Amino acid sequence: MPAYSDRTNEIVEVCLLAGKIMLESGGETYRVEDTMMRIAASFGIPRSHSYVTPTGIIFSIDKKNSTQFIRISERSTDLQKVALVNSISRRISNGELTLEEAYEQLKEVEAQKFAYPLWLQVIAAAIASGCFAVMLGGGWSNFLPSLLSGGTGFYCFEMIHRMIKIRFFAEFFASFVAGGMALLMMMAGLGEDLGKMMIGSVMPLVPGLAITNAVRDLMAGHLIAGLSRGAEAFLTAFAIGSGIALILSIR
Amino acid sequence: MIVQQLLLSFIASALFGMIFNIPKKLLINSGFVGMVGWMVYFFFAEHHLNNVLATFIAAFFVALLSNLFARLYKTPATIFSVSGIIPLVPGGTAFEAMRHVVLNDYNAAISLAAKAFMISGAIAMGLIFSEVVNQLIKRRRS
């Protein structure tokens, strides 16, 4: 591999880009730190330091350079990008990519759209809701109403989250709509078990990634990131619960 | 009955993979992980084991299988475990707790909420234990 020791600025740029994409797409903070340090090491900088929280990355290279900081304000769930950046970093470690190639490939990944369009995600959420209502022991008569209310709830969440950037409110409102739809269907004579229908239809809103990431970050010793991800999961659960409670109380 | 549970949990977990935007070619695997997790939970719950313990064992297997797939496909383990733990989330218990809150029956609500909290903790413990196993395997190899 050619020597890159005189191009530290560009190396830092590649590291930060990789970290930024991963963090914005829902990677764990320990994975972000690990990836950035690995990339730096394979370009000939053995000692680099990084401090990553869910909302920002601080990265520095020993004594040579000024410390860089980037702020992460938008976060979404796009695990495909995490996997892609992970494989790029693997190839850099194996010496298969030059600095320029790595930067270009990362830029390509950054510009990529979601793996699945919104309509497909809404359909997936709808069918999953229906499956859950039956799985939890609700009987097949709950499948169709739960499918409809779950799909509507998820669509509401995506739409409101795009308009208003307050996640808590979007989750609260989406679970309110999903629960309300389930109640309406029940009144219209579709479905038998209101509880199972409601649980099934709020399942797509459950913070699965936040729970997993919180645990994995805490285990890796990233206490701040783990606690804040845990708080995120708790807040989401609370929002879903309040939405359902509101429906139950006005029933 | 069992076949129905198998099929539904597989489909639901694979579809959850789509919500989390996991790569297309790994959807089948994430469905499989979710199916194994739910079947472990279902088996123990049917045999009247404590819910918390059943969730713990199921989460352990979900994470173990995810780490195995992660090594096999050289991609982050999260991709497989996120949709796998979704069925284990104590939706039913949390719902019952909320229902009792609305009915002003706080005693029942708090005990149910504590149970939901314990089940969530069991998911976390399951993930941690399988991570320990993972680290042990890694150390053995190197």
Side-chain angles (χ1 to χ4, degrees), chain A residues 33 36 49-53 56-60 69 222 224-225:
Chain A
E33 285 188 3
M36 291 197 303
H49 301 278
S50 60
Y51 179 72
V52 178
T53 71
I57 301 176
I58 302 172
F59 187 71
S60 83
F69 171 74
H222 289 222
I224 293 176

Side-chain angles (χ1 to χ4, degrees), chain A residues 28 77 80 116 121 132, chain B residues 5 16 18 20-22 78:
Chain A
E28 308 98 305
T77 305
Q80 174 160 272
Y116 308 96
Q121 286 194 327
F132 269 114
Chain B
Q5 292 282 341
F16 257 98
M18 285 167 98
F20 292 122
N21 283 306
I22 73 169
T78 336

Side-chain angles (χ1 to χ4, degrees), chain A residues 28 31 77-80 86 115-116 120-121 127 132 134-135 140 195 198-199 203-204 209 212 219 241 245 249, chain B residues 4-5 8-9 15-16 18-24 27 38 76 78-79 81-82 92 95 98 102 124 128 131:
Chain A
E28 308 98 305
R31 188 184 300 286
T77 305
D78 191 353
L79 293 182
Q80 174 160 272
N86 193 56
Y116 308 96
L120 201 58
Q121 286 194 327
I127 300 174
F132 269 114
V134 181
M135 247 164 86
W140 282 96
M198 280 187 170
I199 299 165
M203 270 294 181
L209 190 67
T212 352
M219 269 186 299
S249 65
Chain B
Q4 178 188 313
Q5 292 282 341
L8 285 174
S9 56
L15 291 174
F16 257 98
M18 285 167 98
I19 297 176
F20 292 122
N21 283 306
I22 73 169
K24 285 188 185 73
L27 280 179
W38 178 250
T78 336
I79 287 185
S81 55
V82 267
F95 176 80
M98 273 301 165
V102 172
I128 292 173
E131 191 64 29

Side-chain angles (χ1 to χ4, degrees), chain A residues 47-188:
Chain A
R47 288 170 65 82
S48 62
H49 301 278
S50 60
Y51 179 72
V52 178
T53 71
T55 48
I57 301 176
I58 302 172
F59 187 71
S60 83
I61 283 174
D62 246 14
K63 287 174 190 168
K64 280 189 183 162
N65 236 318
S66 57
T67 302
Q68 298 272 328
F69 171 74
I70 46 173
R71 165 90 189 154
I72 307 293
S73 45
E74 272 293 310
R75 268 170 300 138
S76 60
T77 305
D78 191 353
L79 293 182
Q80 174 160 272
K81 278 187 188 168
V82 178
L84 286 172
V85 174
N86 193 56
S87 77
I88 290 176
S89 113
R90 240 171 228 278
R91 286 173 61 197
I92 294 173
S93 295
N94 290 344
E96 291 168 26
L97 291 176
T98 64
L99 195 57
E100 290 79 14
E101 281 170 347
Y103 188 73
E104 255 166 49
Q105 292 205 1
L106 285 171
K107 272 284 173 202
E108 255 171 51
V109 172
E110 191 188 24
Q112 250 181 30
K113 288 199 177 111
F114 282 160
Y116 308 96
L118 180 63
W119 63 269
L120 201 58
Q121 286 194 327
V122 171
I123 291 174
I127 300 174
S129 299
C131 288
F132 269 114
V134 181
M135 247 164 86
L136 297 168
W140 282 96
S141 63
N142 298 312
F143 184 78
L144 192 65
S146 189
L147 184 145
L148 290 172
S149 55
T152 317
F154 186 75
Y155 183 70
C156 266
F157 170 70
E158 288 288 335
M159 283 297 121
I160 295 170
H161 191 50
R162 267 169 215 197
M163 276 191 294
I164 310 163
K165 293 284 172 201
I166 305 171
R167 222 189 147 83
F168 180 81
F169 180 75
E171 278 150 356
F172 167 76
F173 193 75
S175 101
F176 177 75
V177 168
M181 284 278 288
L183 187 63
L184 286 179
M185 300 271 200
M186 176 90 172
M187 283 172 167

Side-chain angles (χ1 to χ4, degrees), chain B residues 68-89:
Chain B
L68 190 77
F69 276 144
R71 197 159 301 156
L72 219 60
Y73 290 91
K74 298 203 187 322
T75 125
T78 336
I79 287 185
F80 306 103
S81 55
V82 267
S83 48
I85 64 157
I86 293 273
L88 306 175
V89 167

Side-chain angles (χ1 to χ4, degrees), chain A residues 10-22 32 36 39 57-60 67-70 72 106:
Chain A
E10 285 157 82
I11 296 170
V12 168
E13 208 173 317
V14 167
C15 291
L16 279 176
L17 183 61
K20 177 169 170 263
I21 298 171
M22 266 196 165
V32 174
M36 291 197 303
I39 293 177
I57 301 176
I58 302 172
F59 187 71
S60 83
T67 302
Q68 298 272 328
F69 171 74
I70 46 173
I72 307 293
L106 285 171

